[in-house]
Amino acid sequence: MDGTGAAEQGIAFDRVNKWYGQMHVLQDVTFSVAPGEKIVVCGPSGSGKSTMIRCINRLEEHQAGTIRVGGVEVNDQRRNIEQVRRRVGMVFQNFNLYPHLTILENCTLAQRWVRGTPRAEAEARAMRYLERVRIPDQARKYPGQLSGGQQQRVAIARSLCMEPEIMLFDEPTSALDPELVREVLDTMVSLAEEGMTMICVTHEMGFARQVADRVIFMDRGRIVESAAPEDFFSNPQEERSRLFLSQIL
Ligand code: ADP
Ligand code: MG
């Protein structure tokens, strides 16, 4: 899809820059994601992947350039930030579930307090999404009683309860024991197959090959390479991409 479509409906970064003090952590980052597109972001630790995706829903502020989500500019205006957050769900490395709330309560909290959804309706929706991630039977338990893979699937269900148009994943499987990675990736694959717009920071290259329309490789705050997965893996254009791939594959 063309850049205009992405700017109106998807995500568009235009020369985005961010500094932490003296450190220039995002340098002229420009890319767009059209509705329904799936992007995998990879790159060495500290290259700015988390910072970049956290800027999308203003968990971090950028200092120069523009970010638009569904045509709404992400800036310091409360109204814009709220509009964007309504459209964008996010899943983190460490699940970030509330430990003192049940799985069901984790999935209804934001619906009830942010959306004002009545309890019965919020619970019905939560159960629908827990079924979708295949753990409705865990609804009355607490996060600590679940495996890491189950907790991450709850985090995905919780996010889906807000019915986002775009999902951001920040290394969702890197805190998991190896045998639990697959169940989370399977959930992400099915979400992708249903047409969700996704940006996934991950080093799961099998997943990238399976679902990504495009792989973005970052190094030192810059997008160094952006290519279809088959091209990126078989014929990376940049030395830094080649080095990175040789280290993780
Ligand atoms: P990645 O996700 O690719 O590992 P990050 O986006 O987390 O990279 O970090 C990019 C750079 O910004 C790193 O050098 C990191 O140390 C630095 N950084 C991240 N968060 C902060 C912060 N809150 N304050 C200062 N520096 C930060
Ligand atoms: Mg990170």
Side-chain angles (χ1 to χ4, degrees), residues 91 97 103-104 107 125-139 146-161 167 169 180 182-192 194 196:
V91 172
L97 298 175
I103 298 312
L104 188 64
C107 292
R125 183 174 295 121
M127 289 310 297
R128 277 206 304 280
Y129 285 111
L130 288 170
E131 272 158 33
R132 210 161 118 191
V133 301
R134 294 179 290 111
I135 34 175
D137 47 319
Q138 308 293 323
L146 272 56
S147 73
Q150 290 175 320
Q151 289 187 57
Q152 193 59 298
R153 287 188 281 146
V154 170
I156 294 171
R158 177 178 64 173
S159 213
L160 293 176
C161 282
M167 285 287 287
F169 292 87
L180 303 177
R182 192 67 248 171
E183 63 190 66
V184 172
L185 292 179
D186 285 344
T187 304
M188 292 167 65
V189 169
S190 77
L191 204 54
E194 286 162 30
M196 180 66 80

Side-chain angles (χ1 to χ4, degrees), residues 20 23 25 44-51:
Y20 285 118
M23 195 172 24
V25 294
S45 178
S47 57
K49 306 178 299 294
S50 295
T51 304

